[in-house]
Amino acid sequence: MTDFIDSFEDEDPFDSAGLRLTVDLTALTENWKDMARRSAKARAAAVVKADAYGTGIEDSGEALYMAGARDFFVATVDEGVTLRPYAPDARIFVLSGIWPGTERRLFENDLVPVISSEEQLAFWMAVLAEYGDYPCALNVDTGFNRLGLSMDEAIALADDVSRPASFAPVLVMSHLACSDDHSSEMNRQQLESFRQVSAAYEGIDSSLAASAGIFLGSDYHFDLTRPGIALYGGESVNDMVNPMRPVVSAEARIIQVRTVKEGESVGYGRATRLTRDSRLAIVSAGYADGYLRSQSSAGVPLRQTVPRGGQGFVAGRKVPVAGRISMDLTIFDVTDLPENAVRAGDYVELFGKNVLVDDVARSAGTIGYEILTSIGLRHERRYLHEED
């Protein structure tokens, strides 16, 4: 019995996984270098929040650090703590800022809080009074109406001669609301507002542009840009050919191929009725894995406005989703493939180089950001490096 078990020890779990996720770290770092070039005189940071957009903050963060990134943005202190060993001397900015109870982990891991409200600012001042000098960043709302000190609050703070000397922000930043639409007047309005803020904090780094803002041009770059979705291969600007390299590929194993007669139904709610004898491939992925139910071919509200549902890729062809996507399973119609082209055990690409993540998003009525950050926990991961 022991010899039998030992014979399996060298098998790669990726080769037999029901769900596989391949992350091309070379494409990731090339995308960062591309955004760094587009940022021109500004430095390019790397946004790695939400587990590096679903790609894995440890591996992706380390790859970006090795490529030259020295400024990172995360959403939470926990994310910053996870990233720190992989970006040892980088500046790591925590976008959610600081809250009571997070001080120790923030300081021990040399994380920089982004202060976004008067309440956070008051607490930060109290922390400085107890712990002494420590860097922070200031987030200023220039029209987004999401997070940030108001313009008046930020400029008054810059001019406040009574503020303690230990209060020493190293970055002032804001966020564009409409940078994915280059024709929007909002971009120019926010730029002019941010210029006022930047001038009030002369000598301190300024940052306005995330991925889409970088494509708006040098006026928006200031000292530091913050590329996020573009690093992971996603579209960031509407109505523009995406220049970024695909980074992530998700595949699901075919569990069964079955033949179904014309007139029969497929899946929950009998949402799809077959108009011909069909062959269906059932794969081991569903909405629990981030393959959103709204991509179903029928039986969901979105199909009333976006006629076509999701597609996979197998045996050199795109194949449509059939019926409703369920929690753990999705059905693809492979009737148009040669009869022996697919069999149980083969893999269908859910998104990747052949089915772009943003095309998947459009069929689901959402954006590539949501597809990537919804990747579930059941994927076996493989990271590709240039030497691979």
Side-chain angles (χ1 to χ4, degrees):
M1 179 65 74
T2 301
D3 291 343
F4 179 76
I5 294 174
D6 288 346
S7 68
F8 292 97
E9 286 184 354
D10 293 332
E11 287 191 1
D12 186 342
F14 188 85
D15 294 333
S16 59
L19 283 160
R20 309 196 299 198
L21 193 77
T22 302
V23 180
D24 186 341
L25 295 177
T26 300
L28 173 70
T29 56
E30 286 301 314
N31 285 343
W32 179 80
K33 291 175 184 176
D34 186 348
M35 296 306 276
R37 286 191 293 270
R38 294 176 189 273
S39 298
K41 295 180 180 179
R43 301 189 316 281
V47 179
V48 294
K49 60 185 180 177
D51 199 28
Y53 288 60
T55 67
I57 195 170
E58 298 94 337
D59 291 89
S60 293
E62 182 176 43
L64 290 162
Y65 177 82
M66 295 301 293
R70 290 297 179 269
D71 296 278
F72 290 83
F73 286 83
V74 297
T76 67
V77 171
D78 286 343
E79 289 179 342
V81 171
T82 302
L83 175 63
R84 174 51 74 197
Y86 302 94
D89 62 347
R91 292 196 303 183
I92 300 176
F93 294 92
V94 179
L95 292 166
S96 63
I98 186 171
W99 293 94
T102 63
E103 307 97 307
R104 181 177 296 278
R105 284 183 300 149
L106 190 142
F107 292 154
E108 287 177 347
N109 292 276
D110 193 23
L111 308 177
V112 182
V114 178
I115 307 301
S116 295
S117 68
E118 284 288 316
E119 294 84 357
Q120 281 195 335
L121 182 62
F123 176 65
W124 181 241
M125 293 297 193
V127 168
L128 292 180
E130 181 175 353
Y131 290 96
D133 295 1
Y134 196 84
C136 71
L138 292 180
N139 185 21
V140 182
D141 177 53
T142 53
F144 199 130
N145 282 319
R146 190 173 63 174
L147 277 181
L149 298 169
S150 71
M151 292 276 295
D152 290 344
E153 289 168 342
I155 291 173
L157 180 63
D159 294 335
D160 186 358
V161 295
S162 66
R163 72 184 195 191
S166 58
F167 177 71
V170 295
L171 180 72
V172 60
M173 59 180 284
S174 189
H175 196 61
L176 294 164
C178 301
S179 55
D180 57 349
D181 178 4
H182 284 188
S183 66
S184 174
E185 286 297 318
M186 186 71 171
N187 295 320
R188 180 59 60 174
Q189 292 170 16
Q190 285 192 264
L191 174 62
E192 293 306 321
S193 294
F194 189 67
R195 281 174 170 163
Q196 296 178 47
V197 175
S198 180
Y201 287 88
E202 185 179 0
I204 295 172
D205 282 352
S206 298
S207 179
L208 178 63
S211 292
I214 293 170
F215 289 100
L216 283 168
S218 58
D219 283 352
Y220 292 81
H221 294 169
F222 291 87
D223 302 298
L224 183 72
T225 62
R226 310 188 305 271
I229 188 64
L231 304 184
Y232 308 97
E235 295 177 7
S236 60
V237 181
N238 301 334
D239 302 320
M240 185 182 86
V241 175
N242 184 11
M244 313 315 296
R245 298 173 59 173
V247 171
V248 189
S249 176
E251 300 171 291
R253 183 172 55 208
I254 297 174
I255 300 175
Q256 183 183 33
V257 179
R258 61 188 305 125
T259 300
V260 183
K261 295 294 185 180
E262 177 185 353
E264 293 190 36
S265 62
V266 178
Y268 279 120
R270 308 184 74 189
T272 294
R273 297 289 186 94
L274 297 175
T275 58
R276 58 179 177 172
D277 291 349
S278 302
R279 282 178 297 111
L280 305 177
I282 294 85
V283 308
S284 57
Y287 55 76
D289 308 296
Y291 201 62
L292 303 183
R293 186 176 181 272
S294 55
Q295 292 183 94
S296 302
S297 67
V300 293
L302 183 64
R303 293 290 77 82
Q304 297 172 21
T305 53
V306 182
R308 191 176 73 181
Q311 293 182 300
F313 185 87
V314 64
R317 293 273 299 274
K318 289 182 178 179
V319 293
V321 170
R324 286 178 177 161
I325 294 169
S326 52
M327 185 180 293
D328 313 298
L329 299 169
T330 298
I331 303 168
F332 290 94
D333 188 332
V334 296
T335 310
D336 291 331
L337 297 178
E339 188 168 349
N340 297 317
V342 295
R343 60 183 181 178
D346 291 344
Y347 286 86
V348 173
E349 179 187 297
L350 304 178
F351 60 84
K353 292 182 179 179
N354 300 293
V355 184
L356 299 180
V357 67
D358 289 288
D359 290 336
V360 171
R362 276 184 277 273
S363 72
T366 186
I367 54 177
Y369 300 69
E370 185 175 12
I371 300 299
L372 289 175
T373 59
S374 296
I375 294 169
L377 300 175
R378 297 189 288 200
H379 294 77
E380 185 70 30
R381 295 174 180 235
R382 173 172 287 174
Y383 292 89
L384 300 181
H385 301 263
E386 196 162 49
E387 59 267 22
D388 296 334

